[in-house]
Amino acid sequence: MTDITDLVAQLREAHRQASQGGGERFRARHTARGKLFVRDRIDMILDPQTAFLELSPLAAHGLYGGEVPGAGILTGIGLIHDRPCMVIANDATTKGGSFFAETVRKHSRAQEIAQQHRLPCIYLVDCGGAFLPEQDRVFPDQDHFGGGFWRQCQMSASGIPQISVVFGGCTAGGAYIPALSDQVIMVKGTGRIHLGGPPIVKAAINEIVDGETLGGAEMHTQVSGVSDHIAPDEETALQMLRDLVANLGDTRRITPPAQASIAPLDTFGTPQDHAPVDLKRPIDMRALIKSMVDGSGFSEFKPDYGKSLITGFAHIHGYPVGILANDGALFSESSVKGAHFIELCDQRHIPLIFLQNITGFMVGTEAERGGIAKHSSKLVYAVSNARVPKYTVLVGGSYGAGNYGMCGRGFRPRFLFSWPNARIATMSPDVASTVVTDLRRASLKSPATEDEIAALDARTRAQFEEQSDPYYATARLWDDGILEPNQTRDVLGLCIALAAGEDRDTGPRPVYRM
Ligand code: COA
């Protein structure tokens, strides 16, 4: 079995490769045009020596023959003049910054996070619009390209600033990103905005025109008024952007915690020491929690009841949190204990952290007679209705309805991250192959031979192995990224800080003793 050190090394290598964008040939052409790489642009707008929380860096990993690393877009949260901002930046070295299905999802997920946390959106635009061969997966549906524009308009109307800097040829959908922004800066010589580029204009109305005349920075700042500012080069444009952000008025700042951050004690090792690589073996979940929280202080709630779910209070980087962590399958007792704990945290305005390592809720006659269906529903109900921010980390397995009770993606955690050893699926490959082959044996269709059953067993195992892999999941944006276990505390600290100080819903929050 691979160990966690190898998995972390593999993750670093995947991140390094994705950071190279569209490859050497396109990077060389990009620089020859006097353009900066997207990561350098981001470095230049953020406050020096501050953190950047990059989201889903491995989107589209392994898809499209590996030609669209990061889905051709970079998103993440950083500080500009002390204000947390969401940066959404196209990588023009990857298929001209055009949008694939995963690009759309990454773009709209970043907007969703910005909207929830009221973060100004900074669009660094260099975008050829929809990637045309994939247009049916990018253009027509509610959550496709149009949904991103809808959200942009909604955010602007609710006072969340939308600012664009245009670095390259922005066509069709790529043109609407700046056109729908509150303020726009264009770079002279390379920045272009047009609903249809020269080839489309020729095809549509038989007009022959060059790109600069059609949609260049001078035309748009002096004639059409689509752009508000022109910059002689990228460096100046990025400085101008910082100035615009400095003058945004009263946008949200980070609310510091009430108490100082204290490092966890060395006694409990690091989170990586406890990562469950072999999901069949139990781990010391309490030690894992203590290796991540302030001063390793963990005040457990109901430690002697429903023991397969550990619940308790702690602090992360000074912010109070309520933690729920699996220590075995969820039984009726652990489910109602979890529901009770969630209601307590909700009443006290304490954010929730879910550490998932879960095979599912208990099955079998005894569990059913004990009402596991209704008791597990109480946990799912409490998770669904908790009004405090929720954060989920897949530290191990995330199987079946256990994913729901422990705040999987469907339950709208503010952020969801996976560890490189995590697995996510309806069930494990072993269980899936048993279920599928049993169904086939009992099928009304022609009876299967033992050879056919063996082939089906192998196919099902291979399918579940492949699809439960964290790289498969992150490529499809089922999470916000794969984290190194030892980064988890700092990343959670940043995420919690973004929501700290939000207006509280002071409506009634009853706690039903389950
Ligand atoms: N759909 C499909 N492929 C696209 C694309 C799009 N919207 N935009 C770029 N590409 C592809 C190019 O075909 C090229 O593919 P290759 O790797 O096989 O050579 C690659 O992306 C890079 O494009 P290229 O034109 O060489 O880059 P550029 O930096 O010189 O120009 C654009 C970038 C965006 C200005 C230019 O590609 C363009 O005008 N694209 C078409 C825009 C358009 O009409 N969009 C309509 C969307 S509804």
PDB file of all heavy atoms in Angstrom, residues 225-244:
ATOM      1  N   GLY A 225     -16.805  53.555 -24.945  1.00  0.00           N
ATOM      2  CA  GLY A 225     -17.016  53.702 -23.490  1.00  0.00           C
ATOM      3  C   GLY A 225     -17.232  52.377 -22.771  1.00  0.00           C
ATOM      4  O   GLY A 225     -17.627  52.353 -21.611  1.00  0.00           O
ATOM      5  N   VAL A 226     -16.973  51.249 -23.457  1.00  0.00           N
ATOM      6  CA  VAL A 226     -17.102  49.935 -22.804  1.00  0.00           C
ATOM      7  C   VAL A 226     -16.069  49.813 -21.678  1.00  0.00           C
ATOM      8  O   VAL A 226     -16.328  49.217 -20.633  1.00  0.00           O
ATOM      9  CB  VAL A 226     -16.922  48.798 -23.839  1.00  0.00           C
ATOM     10  CG1 VAL A 226     -16.788  47.440 -23.162  1.00  0.00           C
ATOM     11  CG2 VAL A 226     -18.092  48.792 -24.816  1.00  0.00           C
ATOM     12  N   SER A 227     -14.885  50.408 -21.885  1.00  0.00           N
ATOM     13  CA  SER A 227     -13.835  50.370 -20.869  1.00  0.00           C
ATOM     14  C   SER A 227     -13.680  51.756 -20.245  1.00  0.00           C
ATOM     15  O   SER A 227     -13.859  52.777 -20.912  1.00  0.00           O
ATOM     16  CB  SER A 227     -12.523  49.929 -21.531  1.00  0.00           C
ATOM     17  OG  SER A 227     -11.449  50.061 -20.627  1.00  0.00           O
ATOM     18  N   ASP A 228     -13.320  51.769 -18.940  1.00  0.00           N
ATOM     19  CA  ASP A 228     -13.201  53.055 -18.245  1.00  0.00           C
ATOM     20  C   ASP A 228     -11.772  53.580 -18.239  1.00  0.00           C
ATOM     21  O   ASP A 228     -11.539  54.779 -18.108  1.00  0.00           O
ATOM     22  CB  ASP A 228     -13.659  52.878 -16.794  1.00  0.00           C
ATOM     23  CG  ASP A 228     -15.011  52.202 -16.730  1.00  0.00           C
ATOM     24  OD1 ASP A 228     -15.940  52.681 -17.402  1.00  0.00           O
ATOM     25  OD2 ASP A 228     -15.126  51.164 -16.041  1.00  0.00           O
ATOM     26  N   HIS A 229     -10.807  52.659 -18.320  1.00  0.00           N
ATOM     27  CA  HIS A 229      -9.404  53.059 -18.214  1.00  0.00           C
ATOM     28  C   HIS A 229      -8.580  52.290 -19.225  1.00  0.00           C
ATOM     29  O   HIS A 229      -8.880  51.139 -19.537  1.00  0.00           O
ATOM     30  CB  HIS A 229      -8.846  52.746 -16.818  1.00  0.00           C
ATOM     31  CG  HIS A 229      -9.641  53.369 -15.709  1.00  0.00           C
ATOM     32  ND1 HIS A 229      -9.463  54.672 -15.307  1.00  0.00           N
ATOM     33  CD2 HIS A 229     -10.619  52.859 -14.933  1.00  0.00           C
ATOM     34  CE1 HIS A 229     -10.306  54.943 -14.320  1.00  0.00           C
ATOM     35  NE2 HIS A 229     -11.017  53.862 -14.076  1.00  0.00           N
ATOM     36  N   ILE A 230      -7.494  52.923 -19.689  1.00  0.00           N
ATOM     37  CA  ILE A 230      -6.548  52.218 -20.561  1.00  0.00           C
ATOM     38  C   ILE A 230      -5.194  52.235 -19.860  1.00  0.00           C
ATOM     39  O   ILE A 230      -4.819  53.241 -19.232  1.00  0.00           O
ATOM     40  CB  ILE A 230      -6.489  52.887 -21.957  1.00  0.00           C
ATOM     41  CG1 ILE A 230      -5.579  52.097 -22.895  1.00  0.00           C
ATOM     42  CG2 ILE A 230      -6.045  54.332 -21.892  1.00  0.00           C
ATOM     43  CD1 ILE A 230      -5.736  52.494 -24.367  1.00  0.00           C
ATOM     44  N   ALA A 231      -4.477  51.113 -19.941  1.00  0.00           N
ATOM     45  CA  ALA A 231      -3.150  51.036 -19.327  1.00  0.00           C
ATOM     46  C   ALA A 231      -2.131  50.753 -20.422  1.00  0.00           C
ATOM     47  O   ALA A 231      -2.416  49.960 -21.327  1.00  0.00           O
ATOM     48  CB  ALA A 231      -3.124  49.922 -18.287  1.00  0.00           C
ATOM     49  N   PRO A 232      -0.940  51.378 -20.355  1.00  0.00           N
ATOM     50  CA  PRO A 232       0.044  51.162 -21.413  1.00  0.00           C
ATOM     51  C   PRO A 232       0.633  49.747 -21.400  1.00  0.00           C
ATOM     52  O   PRO A 232       1.115  49.272 -22.413  1.00  0.00           O
ATOM     53  CB  PRO A 232       1.132  52.198 -21.103  1.00  0.00           C
ATOM     54  CG  PRO A 232       0.966  52.520 -19.652  1.00  0.00           C
ATOM     55  CD  PRO A 232      -0.480  52.344 -19.348  1.00  0.00           C
ATOM     56  N   ASP A 233       0.599  49.084 -20.243  1.00  0.00           N
ATOM     57  CA  ASP A 233       1.147  47.719 -20.169  1.00  0.00           C
ATOM     58  C   ASP A 233       0.477  46.999 -18.997  1.00  0.00           C
ATOM     59  O   ASP A 233      -0.267  47.598 -18.219  1.00  0.00           O
ATOM     60  CB  ASP A 233       2.669  47.748 -19.986  1.00  0.00           C
ATOM     61  CG  ASP A 233       3.083  48.668 -18.854  1.00  0.00           C
ATOM     62  OD1 ASP A 233       2.480  48.559 -17.768  1.00  0.00           O
ATOM     63  OD2 ASP A 233       3.982  49.515 -19.051  1.00  0.00           O
ATOM     64  N   GLU A 234       0.778  45.708 -18.881  1.00  0.00           N
ATOM     65  CA  GLU A 234       0.103  44.892 -17.861  1.00  0.00           C
ATOM     66  C   GLU A 234       0.447  45.333 -16.434  1.00  0.00           C
ATOM     67  O   GLU A 234      -0.415  45.380 -15.561  1.00  0.00           O
ATOM     68  CB  GLU A 234       0.464  43.410 -18.043  1.00  0.00           C
ATOM     69  CG  GLU A 234      -0.093  42.820 -19.312  1.00  0.00           C
ATOM     70  CD  GLU A 234      -0.260  41.301 -19.234  1.00  0.00           C
ATOM     71  OE1 GLU A 234      -0.110  40.720 -18.139  1.00  0.00           O
ATOM     72  OE2 GLU A 234      -0.557  40.710 -20.281  1.00  0.00           O
ATOM     73  N   GLU A 235       1.732  45.664 -16.223  1.00  0.00           N
ATOM     74  CA  GLU A 235       2.149  46.039 -14.861  1.00  0.00           C
ATOM     75  C   GLU A 235       1.351  47.259 -14.397  1.00  0.00           C
ATOM     76  O   GLU A 235       0.867  47.319 -13.262  1.00  0.00           O
ATOM     77  CB  GLU A 235       3.656  46.358 -14.795  1.00  0.00           C
ATOM     78  CG  GLU A 235       4.568  45.154 -14.875  1.00  0.00           C
ATOM     79  CD  GLU A 235       4.816  44.671 -16.307  1.00  0.00           C
ATOM     80  OE1 GLU A 235       4.194  45.224 -17.242  1.00  0.00           O
ATOM     81  OE2 GLU A 235       5.618  43.734 -16.485  1.00  0.00           O
ATOM     82  N   THR A 236       1.217  48.241 -15.299  1.00  0.00           N
ATOM     83  CA  THR A 236       0.472  49.456 -14.922  1.00  0.00           C
ATOM     84  C   THR A 236      -1.002  49.106 -14.682  1.00  0.00           C
ATOM     85  O   THR A 236      -1.630  49.605 -13.737  1.00  0.00           O
ATOM     86  CB  THR A 236       0.584  50.518 -16.034  1.00  0.00           C
ATOM     87  OG1 THR A 236       1.949  50.591 -16.449  1.00  0.00           O
ATOM     88  CG2 THR A 236       0.109  51.879 -15.572  1.00  0.00           C
ATOM     89  N   ALA A 237      -1.557  48.231 -15.533  1.00  0.00           N
ATOM     90  CA  ALA A 237      -2.969  47.856 -15.362  1.00  0.00           C
ATOM     91  C   ALA A 237      -3.193  47.231 -13.987  1.00  0.00           C
ATOM     92  O   ALA A 237      -4.192  47.517 -13.313  1.00  0.00           O
ATOM     93  CB  ALA A 237      -3.372  46.861 -16.457  1.00  0.00           C
ATOM     94  N   LEU A 238      -2.237  46.398 -13.562  1.00  0.00           N
ATOM     95  CA  LEU A 238      -2.405  45.715 -12.277  1.00  0.00           C
ATOM     96  C   LEU A 238      -2.298  46.708 -11.107  1.00  0.00           C
ATOM     97  O   LEU A 238      -3.014  46.595 -10.110  1.00  0.00           O
ATOM     98  CB  LEU A 238      -1.370  44.589 -12.151  1.00  0.00           C
ATOM     99  CG  LEU A 238      -1.593  43.464 -13.186  1.00  0.00           C
ATOM    100  CD1 LEU A 238      -0.366  42.544 -13.283  1.00  0.00           C
ATOM    101  CD2 LEU A 238      -2.835  42.641 -12.857  1.00  0.00           C
ATOM    102  N   GLN A 239      -1.427  47.696 -11.266  1.00  0.00           N
ATOM    103  CA  GLN A 239      -1.315  48.737 -10.246  1.00  0.00           C
ATOM    104  C   GLN A 239      -2.603  49.572 -10.195  1.00  0.00           C
ATOM    105  O   GLN A 239      -3.109  49.915  -9.121  1.00  0.00           O
ATOM    106  CB  GLN A 239      -0.096  49.631 -10.545  1.00  0.00           C
ATOM    107  CG  GLN A 239       0.229  50.628  -9.453  1.00  0.00           C
ATOM    108  CD  GLN A 239       0.346  49.987  -8.065  1.00  0.00           C
ATOM    109  OE1 GLN A 239       1.068  49.007  -7.891  1.00  0.00           O
ATOM    110  NE2 GLN A 239      -0.390  50.507  -7.082  1.00  0.00           N
ATOM    111  N   MET A 240      -3.144  49.862 -11.403  1.00  0.00           N
ATOM    112  CA  MET A 240      -4.404  50.630 -11.452  1.00  0.00           C
ATOM    113  C   MET A 240      -5.526  49.851 -10.771  1.00  0.00           C
ATOM    114  O   MET A 240      -6.381  50.418 -10.083  1.00  0.00           O
ATOM    115  CB  MET A 240      -4.787  50.924 -12.913  1.00  0.00           C
ATOM    116  CG  MET A 240      -3.890  51.971 -13.564  1.00  0.00           C
ATOM    117  SD  MET A 240      -4.024  51.973 -15.373  1.00  0.00           S
ATOM    118  CE  MET A 240      -5.587  52.754 -15.628  1.00  0.00           C
ATOM    119  N   LEU A 241      -5.517  48.527 -10.957  1.00  0.00           N
ATOM    120  CA  LEU A 241      -6.537  47.692 -10.327  1.00  0.00           C
ATOM    121  C   LEU A 241      -6.441  47.806  -8.804  1.00  0.00           C
ATOM    122  O   LEU A 241      -7.449  47.984  -8.111  1.00  0.00           O
ATOM    123  CB  LEU A 241      -6.356  46.232 -10.750  1.00  0.00           C
ATOM    124  CG  LEU A 241      -7.220  45.244  -9.975  1.00  0.00           C
ATOM    125  CD1 LEU A 241      -8.676  45.369 -10.359  1.00  0.00           C
ATOM    126  CD2 LEU A 241      -6.749  43.829 -10.196  1.00  0.00           C
ATOM    127  N   ARG A 242      -5.219  47.757  -8.288  1.00  0.00           N
ATOM    128  CA  ARG A 242      -5.046  47.892  -6.832  1.00  0.00           C
ATOM    129  C   ARG A 242      -5.608  49.230  -6.353  1.00  0.00           C
ATOM    130  O   ARG A 242      -6.240  49.316  -5.306  1.00  0.00           O
ATOM    131  CB  ARG A 242      -3.559  47.758  -6.449  1.00  0.00           C
ATOM    132  CG  ARG A 242      -3.073  46.309  -6.383  1.00  0.00           C
ATOM    133  CD  ARG A 242      -1.633  46.207  -5.871  1.00  0.00           C
ATOM    134  NE  ARG A 242      -1.436  46.815  -4.560  1.00  0.00           N
ATOM    135  CZ  ARG A 242      -1.699  46.202  -3.396  1.00  0.00           C
ATOM    136  NH1 ARG A 242      -2.153  44.965  -3.377  1.00  0.00           N
ATOM    137  NH2 ARG A 242      -1.502  46.834  -2.247  1.00  0.00           N
ATOM    138  N   ASP A 243      -5.390  50.272  -7.171  1.00  0.00           N
ATOM    139  CA  ASP A 243      -5.921  51.595  -6.784  1.00  0.00           C
ATOM    140  C   ASP A 243      -7.452  51.588  -6.762  1.00  0.00           C
ATOM    141  O   ASP A 243      -8.070  52.193  -5.881  1.00  0.00           O
ATOM    142  CB  ASP A 243      -5.430  52.682  -7.760  1.00  0.00           C
ATOM    143  CG  ASP A 243      -3.923  52.890  -7.636  1.00  0.00           C
ATOM    144  OD1 ASP A 243      -3.335  52.408  -6.640  1.00  0.00           O
ATOM    145  OD2 ASP A 243      -3.330  53.519  -8.543  1.00  0.00           O
ATOM    146  N   LEU A 244      -8.059  50.919  -7.748  1.00  0.00           N
ATOM    147  CA  LEU A 244      -9.522  50.855  -7.760  1.00  0.00           C
ATOM    148  C   LEU A 244     -10.031  50.157  -6.497  1.00  0.00           C
ATOM    149  O   LEU A 244     -11.009  50.587  -5.883  1.00  0.00           O
ATOM    150  CB  LEU A 244     -10.044  50.097  -8.986  1.00  0.00           C
ATOM    151  CG  LEU A 244      -9.829  50.700 -10.378  1.00  0.00           C
ATOM    152  CD1 LEU A 244     -10.621  49.899 -11.414  1.00  0.00           C
ATOM    153  CD2 LEU A 244     -10.259  52.156 -10.429  1.00  0.00           C
TER     154      LEU A 244
END
